Amino acid sequence: MTTPQQFLSGRQFLLSEVLNVFALKQFENQVECIPAVEKNHCNRCGNRKRYLFAWHDCGRCGKHCTYCRNCIQMGKASECGQVVLWKGPAFNQSPPADPVLQWEGSLSEPQQKASDCLVESLASKKSTLVHAVCGAGKTEILFKAVEVALLKGLRVCIATPRRDVVQELAPRFKKAFPTTIIESLYGGSEDRLPFAHLTIATTHQLIRFKEAFDVMVIDEVDAFPFSADAALQRSSHNARKKNSTLIYLSATPSRKIKTEQTFKIPARFHRFPLPVPETKWLGNWRKGLLKNKIDPAVLKWLAAHPKALIFMPDIESMEAYSKILDLPSVHSADPDRSEKVMQFREGKFNVLLTTTILERGVTFSGVEVAIVGADDSVFTEGALVQIAGRVGRDPKKHDGNVTFFHNGLTDAIVRAQRHIVLMNKEAGKLGYIRGVLS
């Protein structure tokens, strides 16, 4: 039976959410209820921006009530609502049963060095950035550090800005840590437990935690919306215990990320070089769409690359392509997004159109990539590098084509190509690349 201590320890819920589970009267000495919103300050997500508050005629209090729009997707935090905090003894779950880590793979030399660095950071409490190229095997690098933390009875969180990444990480960790209680949290997920050894969540879900985790890993730390949202960054900080270990992972970290130590992995785990993107001028491709026409260069590329991801700069142009080509497409608001991604992974169809929602954190064996409109401002250097990184991740098909179709080269395109070339050269100098780079 779930106890309030299990349910509330390290979390912050709206009172309305808690009352659906417990009657709190008998635990009133162990909980604190604070206003959810007061004086244009949201006590749940920390928002203080006036334009992110709104007012409505509240059916609960009958007044003109202020609520926070910043965290509305987590339930309405309003002036008449309350946030419940647990003030009793923290709940300490027993460590998982041995053997905790049951992964039978092995690490490459740079992976092993990164893994050792993360284990050391648990003891030193140093904040650490692992700067690893797409396909370096960042998930496997985490395994030993997670095992060490769990054996010490520490509570671990792996957070990422994208739901798709949570859905990819969760089954991999559940397979590697079969005796560990693992929950995966994202909008609409059903895997919500009263307490877990390991929480894998979108960064939005961290709003519901407060001083919960001994180890906080933020994967794809440079990804939108986390990189641009101060409230999400604040929530990730609030979800950590004061004396906790912070680990960042990224293939394209921003210079704004400040940590006490950085470990760099310039090579993929299979030791083959990163595919360098080609560029091809496409002209005014949007004008052709008005006539329901697609440039022959794109059609020729599709014919030559039967298993492909086609990235588009916006939903409107993607849906136009989807209709003309009779191909499936996905975007962030697509209710069937998860199902389509799974069908693509399983080979139910061979070409998938997408926005930048699939630019990072997902792996498809043998896939090749084209970007239509790569000169659009949505395709930053980081986004282009991440998109190119979807190709060649499988050691059995370690090469593949990446083509940036454009209407004029941009600084982002040029820098992305240079970024990949330099990473390959650095890996070659360190002896991490098979053969000789041309």
Side-chain angles (χ1 to χ4, degrees):
M1 179 179 176
T2 302
T3 67
Q5 184 188 33
Q6 284 177 293
F7 186 74
L8 295 174
S9 185
R11 302 193 191 227
Q12 52 179 14
F13 288 111
L14 297 177
L15 179 60
S16 56
E17 296 175 301
V18 177
L19 292 179
N20 288 331
V21 183
F22 299 107
L24 287 180
K25 189 170 181 60
Q26 58 182 312
F27 305 103
E28 57 187 2
N29 293 329
Q30 295 177 296
V31 300
E32 178 184 3
C33 294
I34 60 175
V37 172
E38 55 182 344
K39 296 179 181 178
N40 289 322
H41 175 216
C42 178
N43 284 319
R44 181 173 62 173
C45 73
N47 171 43
R48 290 181 179 271
K49 296 178 180 177
R50 292 181 66 90
Y51 69 89
L52 287 176
F53 290 96
W55 296 263
H56 69 137
D57 293 324
C58 182
R60 181 166 51 194
C61 69
K63 298 179 181 179
H64 201 51
C65 193
T66 304
Y67 67 93
C68 179
R69 293 192 297 116
N70 186 64
C71 57
I72 187 69
Q73 72 273 27
M74 309 298 292
K76 187 176 289 185
S78 59
E79 277 183 302
C80 68
Q82 292 181 305
V83 172
V84 180
L85 304 175
W86 179 253
K87 294 300 180 182
F91 179 77
N92 295 312
Q93 181 78 293
S94 299
D98 277 330
V100 175
L101 176 59
Q102 298 182 32
W103 178 62
E104 297 179 355
S106 59
L107 299 178
S108 66
E109 181 185 344
Q111 281 181 305
Q112 187 62 59
K113 289 179 179 179
S115 175
D116 294 342
C117 175
L118 294 184
V119 171
E120 186 276 330
S121 72
L122 294 179
S124 67
K125 297 292 194 297
K126 285 183 179 178
S127 57
T128 303
L129 166 66
V130 177
H131 177 189
V133 298
C134 299
K138 294 192 291 293
T139 301
E140 290 75 18
I141 290 166
L142 290 173
F143 283 170
K144 187 63 181 179
V146 171
E147 179 193 30
V148 170
L150 294 175
L151 286 171
K152 290 181 178 179
L154 303 182
R155 195 172 177 185
V156 181
C157 177
I158 301 173
T160 177
R162 302 287 173 86
R163 183 181 77 177
D164 307 88
V165 182
V166 174
Q167 291 174 313
E168 179 141 322
L169 286 177
R172 293 169 70 180
F173 272 90
K174 288 178 179 179
K175 183 177 180 180
F177 295 86
T179 68
T180 299
I181 301 172
I182 300 175
E183 65 178 350
S184 56
L185 303 177
Y186 53 88
S189 65
E190 298 178 357
D191 190 11
R192 297 174 185 271
L193 306 174
F195 194 92
H197 297 116
L198 171 61
T199 297
I200 303 174
T202 60
T203 48
H204 278 89
Q205 294 293 324
L206 298 184
I207 290 171
R208 284 202 171 103
F209 292 90
K210 188 173 182 66
E211 296 185 13
F213 300 109
D214 302 283
V215 181
M216 174 67 73
V217 180
I218 302 183
D219 191 14
E220 307 294 355
V221 64
D222 61 304
F224 183 85
F226 182 82
S227 60
D229 192 328
L232 288 179
Q233 295 165 21
R234 189 164 47 245
S235 293
S236 71
H237 176 77
N238 292 340
R240 297 166 49 205
K241 292 180 181 177
K242 289 181 172 61
N243 188 29
S244 58
T245 300
L246 175 63
I247 297 168
Y248 290 133
L249 305 175
S250 180
T252 51
S254 163
R255 293 186 180 91
K256 295 179 182 178
I257 298 172
K258 303 297 181 184
T259 55
E260 294 169 272
Q261 60 183 1
T262 299
F263 191 93
K264 191 173 184 181
I265 305 178
R268 289 181 157 176
F269 76 95
H270 55 48
R271 297 179 56 208
F272 289 100
L274 299 159
V276 179
E278 301 174 7
T279 58
K280 188 168 184 62
W281 186 78
L282 198 60
N284 191 347
W285 58 277
R286 291 184 186 275
K287 187 175 180 180
L289 277 184
L290 297 176
K291 301 177 181 178
N292 289 327
K293 291 183 179 180
I294 292 176
D295 192 285
V298 176
L299 298 176
K300 184 179 179 180
W301 187 93
L302 272 171
H305 306 94
K307 185 173 182 179
L309 275 173
I310 310 294
F311 285 83
M312 307 291 296
D314 54 72
I315 295 173
E316 292 75 21
S317 60
M318 182 190 70
E319 290 181 338
Y321 257 60
S322 177
K323 184 177 180 180
I324 295 168
L325 295 170
D326 191 25
L327 291 172
S329 63
V330 290
H331 56 86
S332 59
D334 187 341
D336 301 321
R337 164 178 156 194
S338 298
E339 183 180 352
K340 288 178 182 177
V341 170
M342 183 58 68
Q343 288 175 336
F344 181 63
R345 181 172 282 117
E346 293 173 349
K348 302 279 181 67
F349 42 82
N350 291 323
V351 179
L352 181 63
L353 298 165
T354 179
T355 57
T356 56
I357 197 66
L358 294 184
E359 75 177 32
R360 62 180 74 218
V362 292
T363 299
F364 305 103
S365 179
V367 75
E368 298 179 281
V369 161
I371 303 177
V372 176
D375 53 307
D376 191 280
S377 60
V378 72
F379 295 116
T380 62
E381 176 190 349
L384 292 170
V385 170
Q386 292 280 359
I387 289 170
R390 299 312 98 206
V391 178
R393 299 167 75 92
D394 188 338
K396 295 179 181 178
K397 186 169 173 44
H398 53 80
D399 55 1
N401 182 266
V402 182
T403 298
F404 296 164
F405 290 99
H406 63 89
N407 190 23
L409 291 175
T410 62
D411 288 343
I413 291 174
V414 174
R415 288 197 301 266
Q417 287 180 306
R418 185 185 300 128
H419 178 116
I420 293 170
V421 169
L422 290 176
M423 279 294 193
N424 282 338
K425 285 185 177 180
E426 184 174 348
K429 288 178 181 178
L430 293 170
Y432 293 156
I433 294 289
R434 300 174 193 248
V436 179
L437 288 172
S438 58

